[in-house]
Amino acid sequence: MAAGTRGMASVTTLGYVSTSVPGQSASVPGQPASGGAGPPGAAGVKPVRPVTAGPVVGFDLDMTLLDARRGVTATYAALAAETGVTIDGEAAAARLGPPLEEEISRWFPPERVPDMAARYRELYAVHALPVSLPMPGAVDVVAQVRHHGGRVVVVTAKSGPLAQASLAHIGIEADAVEGWRFAETKAEAMRAHGVTIYVGDHVGDVVGAHAAGVLAVAVPTGPCSADELGAAGADVVLPDLAAFGGWLSSHLLPGRLDDLAARLAELGSVLVAFSGGADSAFLLAAAVRALGADRVAAATAVSASLPAAELAAATDFAARLGVRHLTPSTNEMGREGYRANGPDRCYFCKAELTETLRPLADSLGLAHVVTGTNADDAVAGFRPGIRAAAQRGARTPLRDAGLIKAQVREASRRWGLSTWDKPAAACLASRIAYGIEVSPVRLARVERAEAVLRAALATAELGVRNLRVRDLDDVALVEVDADRVDALSARPDLLAVVEGFDRVEIDPRGFRSGSMNELLPAAVVRASGDDGDRQ
């Protein structure tokens, strides 16, 4: 964030105050990128830029991430008992934010302040650390930053050692901690660590953020009210930390959409591996916006593992975009590793797909094959399919632009795409337990079971968003949304529509993406690489 953020026009949006930032793109997210991209299939296309870095978010500590009030009160009580000086610890705890010496000077003459501050810190480690708590949402907000590939920097007036110890006690790990800083003195630390957003609860935090030229996000969880923080010039005022994750995702989205458009433009022309799901549908729409329909084609692989309904939906979606839609046949069954259905089955499936699409792209004069892998997929753990596609040269623009699943859905909603809230729909082979051979008969049995059960649930007015029939050989294990488990358990007549299995059971834990992977030993997951496909 460039310097000079004060004086911006602010508006209230979705419960928080937001600000338009001079110098940032004011274009509507996802609109076609300006400028040409070179001829279709152009040779010598430069490699795309490195994966987009996540945000560097700075946080204040006391009353932003750390609730130290109980410990502060206890520490002042101990100091008062030692010195015989009356100290209102509760009042002191209500003023957290400025340097400790400022509070100590309220109770002791100037010549005693240094010694009393030092003694307070010694007592704090004994009386405050054990009773310190994370502020509501603090652990989650740090996870949200990391979810976006970002870094967390804590800049606080608290002493460095006590700040480190406090974070360790409440279970928060920061990438960097800078202590002994308040208001303007926070700016140097923010600049040194490349902070672009700073979150705090005190007007001093707003002052520090603006001195560093970064976006000041305020939460009225400490001594300062929302009005006071706004009057101090906070660029964004959230009601609490719980609102930060949604705000951050929305804040980052325009820049990541611009980045996506630029990456697609650099590719010149693309063949989108189009399953019809939310990710590949969004990527297809983004490619058409960035490159034009004549430089884009969609390819939906047709095999026994693709439900017929998914193919029909994909065909309709591509037609509405006005883009070429091809339906090449793939022969996963011809690959022994796929049929064997080991933990790396998705590797062989994706290898078959990309090896089919690459020559197809060449025949169409399209420079690259791209997949809908998003940034969440890249860190989701067991994903051998992603590895197979990468080894064969497939590009991942969504992942490289840092777009997480929630942002893909939000951007799809803004663009009016019908897939914005489409449930995940992994291939039919993902329903078959590892170690049971994949065959056309088993795939057809699973597809039929899910179709008839979904129809029966709808007729009974028990419609579900997520439904899986897991093939455990003789047993069909049904997963539905967790809030529908009890209702379905009470209706054995509905389960009776599932045929072809000796027994039909309900998973009491409900639907879980990737539940088949739960059966794998951790060592198998680690040995298979750092990425794969959810089931």
Side-chain angles (χ1 to χ4, degrees), residues 85 111 116 155 165 228-229 246 352 367 507:
V85 175
E111 65 274 12
M116 291 300 97
V155 185
E228 290 171 324
L229 293 167
E352 173 71 14
D507 190 327

Side-chain angles (χ1 to χ4, degrees), residues 4 23 40 68 71 73 78 80 92 98 118 172 189 295 310 347 355 362 367 396 427-428 463 471 498 521 529-530:
T73 301
I172 290 178
R295 296 179 180 179
E310 290 298 312
Y347 181 92
E355 289 176 16
D362 291 339
T396 55
C427 79
L428 292 171
D471 185 336
V498 176
D530 60 358

Side-chain angles (χ1 to χ4, degrees), residues 70-80 119-121 123-125 127-128:
R70 180 181 171 191
V72 166
T73 301
T75 302
Y76 276 116
L79 185 63
R119 181 54 181 155
Y120 173 94
R121 292 185 177 104
L123 293 170
Y124 187 97
H127 296 279

Side-chain angles (χ1 to χ4, degrees), residues 99-194:
L100 172 63
E101 286 75 9
E102 183 175 314
E103 182 64 39
I104 291 291
S105 68
R106 293 173 178 267
W107 313 105
F108 294 93
E111 65 274 12
R112 296 193 67 188
V113 168
D115 289 341
M116 291 300 97
R119 181 54 181 155
Y120 173 94
R121 292 185 177 104
E122 293 172 348
L123 293 170
Y124 187 97
V126 175
H127 296 279
L129 278 179
V131 295
S132 295
L133 298 170
M135 290 293 290
V139 174
D140 183 63
V141 83
V142 170
Q144 289 284 350
V145 175
R146 303 211 190 283
H147 188 194
H148 286 280
R151 299 177 64 247
V152 172
V153 178
V154 173
V155 185
T156 174
K158 210 176 207 73
S159 73
L162 287 181
Q164 293 273 17
S166 297
L167 289 167
H169 177 77
I170 62 174
I172 290 178
E173 183 177 352
D175 296 284
V177 179
E178 296 279 357
W180 312 93
R181 297 174 183 271
F182 181 66
E184 292 90 346
T185 64
K186 292 190 174 190
E188 182 181 356
M190 291 186 212
R191 287 192 291 264
H193 291 283

Side-chain angles (χ1 to χ4, degrees), residues 346 377 380-387 529-535:
C346 289
D377 296 330
F382 186 54
R383 310 303 295 271
I386 296 176
R387 178 161 46 89
D530 60 358
D531 48 28
D533 291 310
R534 290 199 176 188
Q535 309 298 302

